[in-house]
Protein backbone atom coordinates (compact mmCIF):
# COMPACT_ATOMS: atom_id res chain seq x y z
CA UNK A 1 0.00 0.00 0.00
CA UNK A 2 1.36 3.39 -0.89
CA UNK A 3 0.53 6.68 0.77
CA UNK A 4 -0.97 8.04 -2.40
CA UNK A 5 -4.66 8.89 -2.52
CA UNK A 6 -6.72 6.34 -4.39
CA UNK A 7 -7.82 8.46 -7.36
CA UNK A 8 -5.46 6.55 -9.66
CA UNK A 9 -5.08 2.78 -9.87
CA UNK A 10 -1.64 2.42 -11.43
CA UNK A 11 -0.60 -0.69 -13.29
CA UNK A 12 2.17 -2.78 -11.75
CA UNK A 13 5.06 -1.28 -13.63
CA UNK A 14 7.49 1.58 -12.97
CA UNK A 15 9.44 3.15 -15.78
CA UNK A 16 12.84 4.60 -15.06
CA UNK A 17 14.11 5.61 -18.49
CA UNK A 18 12.72 6.76 -21.80
CA UNK A 19 14.12 7.32 -25.25
CA UNK A 20 12.09 8.14 -28.37
CA UNK A 21 9.12 5.76 -28.50
CA UNK A 22 10.52 3.40 -25.87
CA UNK A 23 10.33 3.14 -22.09
CA UNK A 24 12.47 0.94 -19.84
CA UNK A 25 11.13 -0.50 -16.57
CA UNK A 26 12.95 -1.30 -13.32
CA UNK A 27 13.82 -4.78 -14.63
CA UNK A 28 15.39 -3.38 -17.78
CA UNK A 29 12.51 -4.51 -20.04
CA UNK A 30 11.58 -2.23 -22.94
CA UNK A 31 8.04 -1.14 -23.84
CA UNK A 32 6.70 0.49 -26.99
CA UNK A 33 4.89 3.64 -25.86
CA UNK A 34 1.89 4.16 -28.16
CA UNK A 35 0.41 6.72 -25.77
CA UNK A 36 3.18 9.31 -25.20
CA UNK A 37 2.09 9.83 -21.57
CA UNK A 38 -1.38 10.54 -22.98
CA UNK A 39 -0.39 12.84 -25.80
CA UNK A 40 2.38 14.65 -23.92
CA UNK A 41 5.80 13.54 -25.14
CA UNK A 42 4.89 14.17 -28.77
CA UNK A 43 8.56 14.52 -29.77
CA UNK A 44 9.46 11.30 -27.96
CA UNK A 45 10.93 10.67 -24.54
CA UNK A 46 13.98 12.73 -23.56
CA UNK A 47 14.28 14.59 -26.85
CA UNK A 48 17.88 15.96 -26.88
CA UNK A 49 16.86 19.55 -27.75
CA UNK A 50 14.37 19.73 -24.87
CA UNK A 51 16.80 18.05 -22.48
CA UNK A 52 19.54 20.52 -23.42
CA UNK A 53 17.23 23.51 -22.94
CA UNK A 54 16.18 22.17 -19.54
CA UNK A 55 19.76 21.53 -18.41
CA UNK A 56 20.98 24.94 -19.62
CA UNK A 57 18.04 26.81 -18.09
CA UNK A 58 18.27 24.95 -14.77
CA UNK A 59 21.89 26.03 -14.47
CA UNK A 60 20.87 29.63 -15.12
CA UNK A 61 17.56 30.27 -13.36
CA UNK A 62 14.58 28.04 -12.53
CA UNK A 63 11.93 30.44 -11.42
CA UNK A 64 10.97 34.01 -10.92
CA UNK A 65 7.50 35.28 -10.17
CA UNK A 66 5.24 36.77 -12.80
CA UNK A 67 5.72 39.99 -10.80
CA UNK A 68 8.80 40.39 -13.04
CA UNK A 69 9.25 40.10 -16.79
CA UNK A 70 10.29 36.64 -17.97
CA UNK A 71 12.25 36.64 -21.22
CA UNK A 72 11.52 33.04 -22.26
CA UNK A 73 7.83 33.56 -21.61
CA UNK A 74 7.66 36.68 -23.78
CA UNK A 75 9.59 34.92 -26.54
CA UNK A 76 7.31 31.87 -26.39
CA UNK A 77 4.17 34.03 -26.42
CA UNK A 78 5.44 35.87 -29.49
CA UNK A 79 6.25 32.65 -31.34
CA UNK A 80 2.89 31.06 -30.46
CA UNK A 81 0.98 34.16 -31.54
CA UNK A 82 2.86 34.29 -34.83
CA UNK A 83 2.30 30.60 -35.50
CA UNK A 84 -1.38 30.56 -34.50
CA UNK A 85 -2.32 34.06 -35.73
CA UNK A 86 -3.39 35.02 -32.21
CA UNK A 87 -2.77 38.22 -30.21
CA UNK A 88 -2.06 37.38 -26.54
CA UNK A 89 -1.22 34.41 -24.30
CA UNK A 90 -1.76 33.47 -20.66
CA UNK A 91 0.48 30.63 -19.45
CA UNK A 92 -0.82 28.00 -17.03
CA UNK A 93 0.50 24.68 -15.72
CA UNK A 94 -1.98 22.28 -17.29
CA UNK A 95 -4.73 21.84 -19.84
CA UNK A 96 -7.50 22.27 -17.30
CA UNK A 97 -6.01 25.56 -16.18
CA UNK A 98 -5.70 26.80 -19.76
CA UNK A 99 -9.40 26.03 -20.21
CA UNK A 100 -10.18 27.59 -16.84
CA UNK A 101 -8.60 30.82 -18.12
CA UNK A 102 -10.75 30.58 -21.27
CA UNK A 103 -13.90 30.19 -19.15
CA UNK A 104 -12.94 33.21 -17.03
CA UNK A 105 -12.38 35.23 -20.21
CA UNK A 106 -15.86 34.19 -21.42
CA UNK A 107 -17.31 35.43 -18.08
CA UNK A 108 -15.60 38.80 -18.47
CA UNK A 109 -16.81 38.96 -22.06
CA UNK A 110 -20.35 38.34 -20.74
CA UNK A 111 -19.94 41.18 -18.23
CA UNK A 112 -18.82 43.48 -21.05
CA UNK A 113 -22.12 42.70 -22.77
CA UNK A 114 -24.15 43.09 -19.54
CA UNK A 115 -25.08 39.41 -19.53
CA UNK A 116 -25.72 38.36 -15.93
CA UNK A 117 -26.00 34.60 -16.37
CA UNK A 118 -23.83 33.60 -19.32
CA UNK A 119 -24.15 30.31 -21.14
CA UNK A 120 -21.30 28.42 -22.81
CA UNK A 121 -22.22 25.68 -25.25
CA UNK A 122 -20.03 22.58 -24.92
CA UNK A 123 -20.26 19.09 -26.36
CA UNK A 124 -21.53 15.80 -25.03
CA UNK A 125 -18.61 13.38 -24.47
CA UNK A 126 -16.18 16.31 -24.61
CA UNK A 127 -13.41 16.48 -22.01
CA UNK A 128 -11.95 19.73 -20.70
CA UNK A 129 -10.31 18.85 -17.36
CA UNK A 130 -10.93 18.10 -13.70
CA UNK A 131 -11.14 21.50 -11.99
CA UNK A 132 -14.67 22.47 -10.96
CA UNK A 133 -15.26 24.74 -13.96
CA UNK A 134 -13.69 22.43 -16.55
CA UNK A 135 -15.40 19.42 -14.97
CA UNK A 136 -18.69 21.27 -15.45
CA UNK A 137 -17.76 21.96 -19.07
CA UNK A 138 -16.90 18.30 -19.61
CA UNK A 139 -19.70 16.29 -21.20
CA UNK A 140 -19.07 12.96 -19.48
CA UNK A 141 -21.26 11.98 -16.53
CA UNK A 142 -18.69 9.44 -15.27
CA UNK A 143 -16.19 12.27 -14.72
CA UNK A 144 -18.81 14.48 -13.03
CA UNK A 145 -20.32 11.83 -10.75
CA UNK A 146 -20.23 12.87 -7.10
CA UNK A 147 -19.24 16.47 -7.68
CA UNK A 148 -22.55 18.28 -7.95
CA UNK A 149 -23.48 21.07 -7.71
CA UNK A 150 -21.67 21.80 -10.95
CA UNK A 151 -21.42 25.23 -12.55
CA UNK A 152 -24.68 25.89 -14.28
CA UNK A 153 -23.46 27.92 -17.23
CA UNK A 154 -22.66 24.99 -19.50
CA UNK A 155 -25.22 23.54 -21.89
CA UNK A 156 -24.07 20.33 -23.55
CA UNK A 157 -25.05 19.70 -27.14
CA UNK A 158 -24.28 16.79 -29.45
CA UNK A 159 -20.81 16.94 -30.99
CA UNK A 160 -20.58 17.30 -34.76
CA UNK A 161 -24.20 18.44 -34.89
CA UNK A 162 -24.41 21.97 -36.23
CA UNK A 163 -28.19 22.21 -35.77
CA UNK A 164 -27.74 21.50 -32.06
CA UNK A 165 -25.63 24.68 -31.79
CA UNK A 166 -27.77 26.73 -34.15
CA UNK A 167 -30.77 25.93 -31.96
CA UNK A 168 -29.44 28.49 -29.43
CA UNK A 169 -28.99 31.33 -31.93
CA UNK A 170 -31.77 33.44 -30.40
CA UNK A 171 -30.63 32.89 -26.82
CA UNK A 172 -29.06 36.18 -25.81
CA UNK A 173 -27.31 34.64 -22.78
CA UNK A 174 -24.97 32.49 -24.89
CA UNK A 175 -21.45 33.94 -25.00
CA UNK A 176 -19.26 31.15 -26.31
CA UNK A 177 -18.93 27.70 -27.82
CA UNK A 178 -16.17 25.51 -26.38
CA UNK A 179 -15.26 22.33 -28.26
CA UNK A 180 -12.33 20.07 -29.04
CA UNK A 181 -11.27 20.04 -32.72
CA UNK A 182 -11.19 16.24 -32.31
CA UNK A 183 -12.58 14.64 -29.17
CA UNK A 184 -9.72 12.78 -27.51
CA UNK A 185 -10.90 11.29 -24.22
CA UNK A 186 -14.15 10.26 -25.92
CA UNK A 187 -12.05 7.82 -27.98
CA UNK A 188 -10.86 9.89 -30.97
CA UNK A 189 -14.10 11.23 -32.42
CA UNK A 190 -13.37 13.10 -35.65
CA UNK A 191 -16.11 15.51 -36.76
CA UNK A 192 -17.08 16.21 -40.37
CA UNK A 193 -14.44 18.21 -42.29
CA UNK A 194 -16.42 21.45 -42.19
CA UNK A 195 -17.83 21.18 -38.65
CA UNK A 196 -15.46 23.75 -37.12
CA UNK A 197 -15.99 26.14 -40.04
CA UNK A 198 -19.73 26.00 -39.48
CA UNK A 199 -19.35 26.45 -35.73
CA UNK A 200 -17.21 29.50 -36.42
CA UNK A 201 -19.83 30.93 -38.82
CA UNK A 202 -22.51 30.65 -36.13
CA UNK A 203 -20.20 32.19 -33.52
CA UNK A 204 -19.41 35.14 -35.80
CA UNK A 205 -23.06 35.76 -36.64
CA UNK A 206 -24.03 35.77 -32.95
CA UNK A 207 -20.99 37.49 -31.42
CA UNK A 208 -20.08 34.34 -29.51
CA UNK A 209 -16.49 33.42 -28.75
CA UNK A 210 -15.20 30.29 -30.45
CA UNK A 211 -13.04 28.59 -27.82
CA UNK A 212 -11.11 25.59 -29.10
CA UNK A 213 -9.68 23.11 -26.62
CA UNK A 214 -6.64 21.89 -28.50
CA UNK A 215 -5.00 20.43 -25.41
CA UNK A 216 -4.84 16.91 -26.87
CA UNK A 217 -5.20 17.47 -30.61
CA UNK A 218 -2.67 20.28 -31.16
CA UNK A 219 1.15 20.47 -31.19
CA UNK A 220 1.49 18.35 -34.30
CA UNK A 221 -0.77 15.48 -33.24
CA UNK A 222 -3.00 15.64 -36.35
CA UNK A 223 -0.26 16.48 -38.85
CA UNK A 224 -0.58 20.27 -38.46
CA UNK A 225 0.86 22.21 -35.54
CA UNK A 226 -2.70 23.20 -34.53
CA UNK A 227 -5.61 20.86 -35.30
CA UNK A 228 -7.95 23.59 -36.58
CA UNK A 229 -5.43 24.53 -39.29
CA UNK A 230 -7.08 21.73 -41.31
CA UNK A 231 -10.12 24.05 -41.42
CA UNK A 232 -8.23 27.25 -42.22
CA UNK A 233 -9.92 29.08 -39.34
CA UNK A 234 -8.69 31.20 -36.42
CA UNK A 235 -10.62 30.83 -33.17
CA UNK A 236 -11.11 33.57 -30.57
CA UNK A 237 -9.47 31.37 -27.94
CA UNK A 238 -7.15 28.40 -28.30
CA UNK A 239 -6.09 26.27 -25.33
CA UNK A 240 -2.91 24.22 -25.42
CA UNK A 241 -1.00 22.03 -22.96
CA UNK A 242 0.25 18.40 -23.13
CA UNK A 243 2.68 18.40 -26.11
CA UNK A 244 3.60 22.06 -25.63
CA UNK A 245 6.18 21.13 -22.97
CA UNK A 246 6.96 17.57 -24.15
CA UNK A 247 6.78 16.42 -20.52
CA UNK A 248 7.15 19.56 -18.42
CA UNK A 249 3.90 21.02 -17.10
CA UNK A 250 2.84 23.98 -19.19
CA UNK A 251 -0.49 25.11 -20.59
CA UNK A 252 -1.40 28.16 -22.65
CA UNK A 253 -4.58 30.07 -23.32
CA UNK A 254 -4.17 32.05 -26.55
CA UNK A 255 -6.68 34.75 -27.42
CA UNK A 256 -7.45 36.99 -30.35
CA UNK A 257 -9.28 40.32 -30.75
CA UNK A 258 -11.75 41.23 -28.05
CA UNK A 259 -11.07 38.00 -26.14
CA UNK A 260 -7.42 38.99 -25.77
CA UNK A 261 -8.37 42.24 -23.98
CA UNK A 262 -10.47 40.73 -21.18
CA UNK A 263 -7.79 39.89 -18.62
CA UNK A 264 -6.52 43.03 -16.92
CA UNK A 265 -4.03 43.35 -14.02
CA UNK A 266 -5.15 41.30 -11.03
CA UNK A 267 -7.93 39.35 -12.80
CA UNK A 268 -5.99 36.10 -13.17
CA UNK A 269 -2.64 34.54 -12.36
CA UNK A 270 -0.54 31.50 -11.55
CA UNK A 271 2.60 31.20 -9.42
CA UNK A 272 4.38 28.76 -11.71
CA UNK A 273 2.64 29.64 -14.98
CA UNK A 274 5.15 30.21 -17.77
CA UNK A 275 8.23 30.20 -15.53
CA UNK A 276 11.73 30.30 -17.10
CA UNK A 277 12.19 26.50 -16.95
CA UNK A 278 8.95 25.32 -18.58
CA UNK A 279 9.03 28.00 -21.25
CA UNK A 280 12.61 26.97 -22.11
CA UNK A 281 11.26 23.47 -22.79
CA UNK A 282 8.36 24.77 -24.88
CA UNK A 283 10.70 26.97 -26.91
CA UNK A 284 12.66 23.80 -27.63
CA UNK A 285 9.46 22.08 -28.79
CA UNK A 286 8.69 24.85 -31.28
CA UNK A 287 12.31 24.85 -32.46
CA UNK A 288 12.12 21.10 -33.22
CA UNK A 289 8.89 21.58 -35.19
CA UNK A 290 10.52 24.40 -37.14
CA UNK A 291 13.87 22.74 -37.83
CA UNK A 292 12.91 19.13 -38.48
CA UNK A 293 10.34 17.29 -40.56
CA UNK A 294 8.16 16.10 -37.66
CA UNK A 295 4.89 17.14 -39.30
CA UNK A 296 5.83 15.39 -42.57
CA UNK A 297 6.60 12.29 -40.52
CA UNK A 298 3.18 12.44 -38.82
CA UNK A 299 1.41 12.51 -42.19
CA UNK A 300 3.61 9.80 -43.69
CA UNK A 301 3.31 7.50 -40.68
CA UNK A 302 -0.43 8.12 -40.49
CA UNK A 303 -0.84 6.90 -44.09
CA UNK A 304 1.48 3.97 -43.43
CA UNK A 305 -0.39 2.94 -40.27
CA UNK A 306 -3.73 3.20 -42.10
CA UNK A 307 -2.67 1.09 -45.06
CA UNK A 308 -0.90 -1.55 -42.94
CA UNK A 309 -3.84 -1.69 -40.56
CA UNK A 310 -6.34 -2.06 -43.38
CA UNK A 311 -4.30 -4.83 -44.99
CA UNK A 312 -3.73 -6.77 -41.79
CA UNK A 313 -7.16 -6.24 -40.20
CA UNK A 314 -9.40 -6.32 -43.31
CA UNK A 315 -10.94 -9.65 -42.36
CA UNK A 316 -10.79 -9.23 -38.60
CA UNK A 317 -14.33 -9.41 -37.24
CA UNK A 318 -13.37 -7.82 -33.92
CA UNK A 319 -12.59 -4.45 -35.54
CA UNK A 320 -15.62 -2.27 -36.22
CA UNK A 321 -13.86 0.86 -37.49
CA UNK A 322 -10.68 2.91 -37.46
CA UNK A 323 -10.67 6.64 -36.76
CA UNK A 324 -7.40 8.32 -37.53
CA UNK A 325 -6.20 11.88 -38.05
CA UNK A 326 -2.43 12.21 -38.14
CA UNK A 327 -1.25 10.10 -35.23
CA UNK A 328 -4.43 10.38 -33.20
CA UNK A 329 -5.79 6.87 -33.55
CA UNK A 330 -9.02 5.23 -32.38
CA UNK A 331 -9.81 1.61 -33.22
CA UNK A 332 -13.40 0.54 -32.56
CA UNK A 333 -13.82 -3.03 -31.33
CA UNK A 334 -16.77 -5.36 -30.99
CA UNK A 335 -17.10 -5.92 -27.25
CA UNK A 336 -18.85 -9.26 -27.88
CA UNK A 337 -15.73 -10.60 -29.58
CA UNK A 338 -12.97 -8.88 -27.57
CA UNK A 339 -13.07 -8.21 -23.83
CA UNK A 340 -11.95 -4.58 -23.92
CA UNK A 341 -11.67 -4.37 -20.14
CA UNK A 342 -8.62 -6.68 -20.26
CA UNK A 343 -6.77 -5.11 -23.16
CA UNK A 344 -4.60 -2.55 -21.35
CA UNK A 345 -3.14 -5.24 -19.05
CA UNK A 346 -2.81 -7.70 -21.89
CA UNK A 347 -0.95 -5.14 -23.99
CA UNK A 348 1.32 -4.30 -21.05
CA UNK A 349 2.30 -7.98 -20.74
CA UNK A 350 3.36 -7.76 -24.37
CA UNK A 351 5.29 -4.57 -23.56
CA UNK A 352 2.90 -2.22 -25.38
CA UNK A 353 1.29 0.88 -23.86
CA UNK A 354 -2.20 1.74 -25.10
CA UNK A 355 -5.40 3.15 -23.68
CA UNK A 356 -9.00 1.92 -23.85
CA UNK A 357 -11.97 4.31 -24.03
CA UNK A 358 -15.30 2.52 -24.05
CA UNK A 359 -14.87 -0.19 -26.65
CA UNK A 360 -12.08 1.56 -28.54
CA UNK A 361 -8.32 1.34 -28.42
CA UNK A 362 -6.86 4.85 -28.29
CA UNK A 363 -3.30 5.47 -29.34
CA UNK A 364 -1.25 8.68 -29.46
CA UNK A 365 2.25 7.47 -30.33
CA UNK A 366 5.21 9.87 -30.40
CA UNK A 367 5.18 11.85 -33.64
CA UNK A 368 8.74 10.70 -34.42
CA UNK A 369 7.66 7.05 -34.71
CA UNK A 370 9.30 5.14 -37.59
CA UNK A 371 7.92 2.57 -40.07
CA UNK A 372 9.85 -0.14 -38.24
CA UNK A 373 8.19 0.83 -34.96
CA UNK A 374 4.76 0.93 -36.63
CA UNK A 375 5.42 -2.61 -37.90
CA UNK A 376 6.13 -3.68 -34.30
CA UNK A 377 3.00 -1.84 -33.13
CA UNK A 378 0.79 -3.53 -35.75
CA UNK A 379 2.15 -6.99 -34.94
CA UNK A 380 1.48 -6.38 -31.24
CA UNK A 381 -2.06 -5.19 -32.06
CA UNK A 382 -2.72 -8.35 -34.09
CA UNK A 383 -1.66 -10.48 -31.10
CA UNK A 384 -3.69 -8.30 -28.72
CA UNK A 385 -6.95 -8.47 -30.61
CA UNK A 386 -6.77 -12.07 -31.73
CA UNK A 387 -5.72 -13.85 -28.53
C1 LIG B 1 -8.99 18.00 -24.64
C2 LIG B 1 -8.47 18.06 -23.24
N1 LIG B 1 -8.67 19.17 -22.52
C3 LIG B 1 -8.21 19.29 -21.27
C4 LIG B 1 -7.52 18.26 -20.66
C5 LIG B 1 -7.04 18.41 -19.26
O1 LIG B 1 -5.66 18.61 -19.26
P1 LIG B 1 -4.83 18.44 -17.90
O2 LIG B 1 -4.92 17.01 -17.49
O3 LIG B 1 -3.44 18.86 -18.29
O4 LIG B 1 -5.43 19.35 -16.90
C6 LIG B 1 -7.29 17.08 -21.38
C7 LIG B 1 -6.61 15.95 -20.75
O5 LIG B 1 -6.68 14.82 -21.15
C8 LIG B 1 -7.78 16.97 -22.70
O6 LIG B 1 -7.60 15.87 -23.43
Amino acid sequence: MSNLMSNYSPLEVTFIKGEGCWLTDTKGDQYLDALSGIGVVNLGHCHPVITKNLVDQSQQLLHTSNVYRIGNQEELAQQLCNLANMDKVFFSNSGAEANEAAIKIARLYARSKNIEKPIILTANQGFHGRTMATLSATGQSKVQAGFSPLMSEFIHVNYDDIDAINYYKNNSDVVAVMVEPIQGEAGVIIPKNDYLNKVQDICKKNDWLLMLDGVQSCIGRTGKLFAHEHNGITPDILCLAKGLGNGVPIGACLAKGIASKMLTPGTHGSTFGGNPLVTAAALGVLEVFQNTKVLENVNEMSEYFKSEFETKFRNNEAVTDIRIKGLMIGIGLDNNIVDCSQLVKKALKDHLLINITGSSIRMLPPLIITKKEIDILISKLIKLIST
Side-chain angles (χ1 to χ4, degrees), residues 281-344:
L283 282 169
V285 168
L286 295 186
E287 186 189 318
V288 174
F289 274 100
Q290 243 141 36
N291 295 345
T292 67
K293 295 190 183 319
V294 187
L295 292 176
E296 284 91 332
N297 192 62
V298 175
N299 291 313
E300 204 187 315
M301 291 309 115
S302 179
E303 286 308 314
Y304 184 65
F305 184 91
K306 230 184 299 182
S307 72
E308 286 298 294
F309 189 86
E310 269 155 23
T311 313
K312 304 270 165 42
F313 286 84
R314 189 174 292 135
N315 298 318
N316 193 312
E317 285 186 323
V319 176
T320 56
D321 65 320
I322 170 162
R323 305 177 296 276
I324 178 165
K325 186 91 176 171
L327 287 172
M328 203 165 177
I329 308 168
I331 299 169
L333 298 174
D334 185 337
N335 234 334
N336 295 318
I337 300 177
V338 190
D339 182 359
C340 292
S341 67
Q342 297 307 310
L343 289 189
V344 168

Side-chain angles (χ1 to χ4, degrees), residues 38 93-97 99 127-130 180 184-185 213-216 241-242 362:
I38 317 204
N93 314 289
S94 67
E97 286 173 76
N99 287 333
F127 184 84
H128 301 291
R130 303 272 191 166
E180 295 162 81
E185 295 303 294
D213 177 352
V215 166
Q216 188 164 144
K242 289 191 183 275
R362 180 174 52 142

Side-chain angles (χ1 to χ4, degrees), residues 193-204:
N193 284 342
D194 60 355
Y195 174 62
L196 291 183
N197 301 78
K198 289 184 172 166
V199 176
Q200 181 171 57
D201 285 348
I202 300 174
C203 286
K204 281 203 164 137

